[in-house]
Amino acid sequence: MRTFALVSLIFASSAQLALVEAKAEGGSCSLPTPDSDYAKSPKFPPDVGTKKIHEDEASVVWDMVVEPGERLPPHEHVYDYNFFVIEGSRLSVFSGSDASFQFSFDSPKGASMAFKRVGDKMHDITGKLPPFDAIHGVQNIGNTTYREILIENKPCASRNPSSDKKRIFLAKSAEELTSFLSTGGVDVDMMISGSQVNHESETDFAKEYSHAAVVSNPGDDVVLHSQGEEFLEFEFRPVGIKAEPEKLKNSGIKHMVFIKFKVDAPVGDLIAGYAALPSKISQMQGFEYGPVNNQLGYEENAQGLQYVFVTSFGDSEDRDAYLVHDAHTEYVEVLFPHIDDFVIVDMKIS
């Protein structure tokens, strides 16, 4: 515990120094700003460790524990980072896009490493490791538990501005959802809600969640956090693929798919395939997606589901046509073998 506290203090202090240096240079910074594409709307989960310990305007501190043989799902490094190894092992790195092997390396106890993001690649500042995809997964291929403390440096701005965020809540009854939302201080103008109207072929996929709400741009003073298995909660920053028409912002059906991929899934290719569907299926009048990024302390409310995909339909007829469209059925055949868990809820906006 004392080692962890010391390491956290050292790296948090270095991040604070970077913040001061960036401001001293008139605000210039080589790291992503909130306006850059991959800082504003990361396409992969930004969970670069197994547990987030701390976050402030200058840094994010993660604990990462990987058991022998365990492989972590792909994540995206939005910012430069460094880490200190508490328990060493040998690791393999895999691309997040197509799950291909990139390289293996030894990460011994007591080692420290630092990486800088350049475009879509991470660069070891010492040059000892080859550049690798900023979106990647890792596997412990050694015989011992691996543990590191990882610190992301974000001197330009806060990683989680309140703008351009959405939270989706699923509940198993209207009463539970109403009671839950009434305690959170939500402005009704920020929210749409409704009941589950899944197609009969997908009723079981709702897993008994019968009602849903979507809150847009919740401020820091809006506290909406579910508890237990009666609720699911997903916060994400949408990547817009097709903007829905104005008339569907408060009407129609939201087809919401929540997915946890298998750790060896070609996640980037699968997301690209889903994002290509709106150009092939005219009934998809709006489409957005994003990785789940729940607030610190509420990560478990997503129950391991990693991605949110939302399609806007004008009515159930459009939704039904989409489900049987050749482009959709062909994509589903590719997608399903790579899914570990999922929930589908079609919300009819009331």
Side-chain angles (χ1 to χ4, degrees):
M1 181 64 72
R2 292 180 62 185
T3 300
F4 163 72
L6 176 61
V7 172
S8 299
L9 177 61
I10 290 172
F11 281 113
S13 297
S14 68
Q16 292 285 353
L17 177 59
L19 175 64
V20 173
E21 290 173 345
K23 290 182 177 179
E25 294 174 1
S28 62
C29 182
S30 62
L31 298 185
T33 68
D35 294 326
S36 64
D37 289 341
Y38 60 74
K40 188 173 183 180
S41 297
K43 298 176 176 59
F44 286 74
D47 299 342
V48 302
T50 50
K51 182 179 182 180
K52 185 189 291 186
I53 300 171
H54 173 78
E55 181 168 7
D56 56 35
E57 67 173 356
S59 64
V60 191
V61 182
W62 297 86
D63 191 9
M64 187 167 86
V65 179
V66 192
E67 298 297 335
E70 182 181 7
R71 180 167 168 175
L72 300 184
H75 55 265
E76 179 172 10
H77 285 278
V78 177
Y79 293 106
D80 297 356
Y81 69 97
N82 41 21
F83 63 78
F84 181 84
V85 181
I86 305 297
E87 299 177 50
S89 191
R90 184 167 176 80
L91 306 178
S92 289
V93 178
F94 297 85
S95 167
S97 296
D98 60 11
S100 61
F101 171 79
Q102 297 200 318
F103 63 90
S104 298
F105 68 103
D106 289 315
S107 188
K109 179 179 179 179
S112 60
M113 301 183 188
F115 300 89
K116 181 178 181 64
R117 178 157 178 167
V118 180
D120 292 330
K121 298 288 185 179
M122 301 307 302
H123 289 251
D124 177 1
I125 63 171
T126 68
K128 294 180 180 179
L129 295 180
F132 55 96
D133 293 351
I135 299 169
H136 62 266
V138 297
Q139 182 176 17
N140 181 353
I141 60 172
N143 298 318
T144 58
T145 298
Y146 178 78
R147 184 185 182 194
E148 70 178 43
I149 302 301
L150 186 150
I151 289 79
E152 296 181 286
N153 302 313
K154 49 173 190 176
C156 297
S158 173
R159 176 188 179 135
N160 291 316
S162 61
S163 61
D164 301 318
K165 292 192 301 185
K166 289 186 178 181
R167 289 187 200 160
I168 297 177
F169 301 90
L170 306 182
K172 294 188 176 180
S173 74
E175 294 76 17
E176 289 170 346
L177 184 64
T178 300
S179 174
F180 174 56
L181 294 174
S182 66
T183 64
V186 178
D187 183 342
V188 293
D189 293 333
M190 299 162 50
M191 182 182 72
I192 58 174
S193 62
S195 56
Q196 181 255 107
V197 291
N198 283 23
H199 185 271
E200 60 182 9
S201 66
E202 297 189 335
T203 300
D204 290 344
F205 298 161
K207 298 184 179 178
E208 299 184 6
Y209 292 101
S210 60
H211 291 76
V214 181
V215 181
S216 298
N217 299 328
D220 294 336
D221 58 335
V222 175
V223 180
L224 284 173
H225 296 302
S226 56
Q227 298 178 357
E229 296 182 356
E230 298 303 310
F231 293 96
L232 286 178
E233 174 186 5
F234 308 92
E235 183 167 303
F236 70 110
R237 214 170 296 155
V239 178
I241 300 300
K242 183 177 182 179
E244 64 184 3
E246 192 68 28
K247 66 180 181 179
L248 289 186
K249 292 187 181 298
N250 295 292
S251 64
I253 292 175
K254 302 295 183 190
H255 178 71
M256 301 183 292
V257 181
F258 310 90
I259 292 177
K260 176 184 179 181
F261 290 106
K262 294 179 179 177
V263 294
D264 58 351
V267 177
D269 292 344
L270 295 172
I271 291 176
Y274 207 153
L277 291 182
S279 65
K280 304 174 183 178
I281 306 176
S282 61
Q283 288 85 355
M284 298 177 71
Q285 297 190 46
F287 180 75
E288 63 185 17
Y289 76 93
V292 176
N293 188 21
N294 283 5
Q295 293 185 15
L296 179 63
Y298 298 95
E299 298 91 343
E300 293 184 1
N301 289 348
Q303 294 186 17
L305 296 165
Q306 303 162 324
Y307 290 87
V308 178
F309 301 88
V310 181
T311 304
S312 298
F313 294 109
D315 51 38
S316 59
E317 287 75 15
D318 283 351
R319 187 270 318 277
D320 295 351
Y322 156 82
L323 290 176
V324 298
H325 194 285
D326 287 345
H328 176 256
T329 57
E330 291 170 4
Y331 172 70
V332 168
E333 290 182 0
V334 174
L335 172 68
F336 260 73
H338 298 290
I339 290 179
D340 191 18
D341 193 13
F342 70 100
V343 174
I344 298 176
V345 171
D346 290 357
M347 178 182 72
K348 182 175 177 59
I349 301 174
S350 56

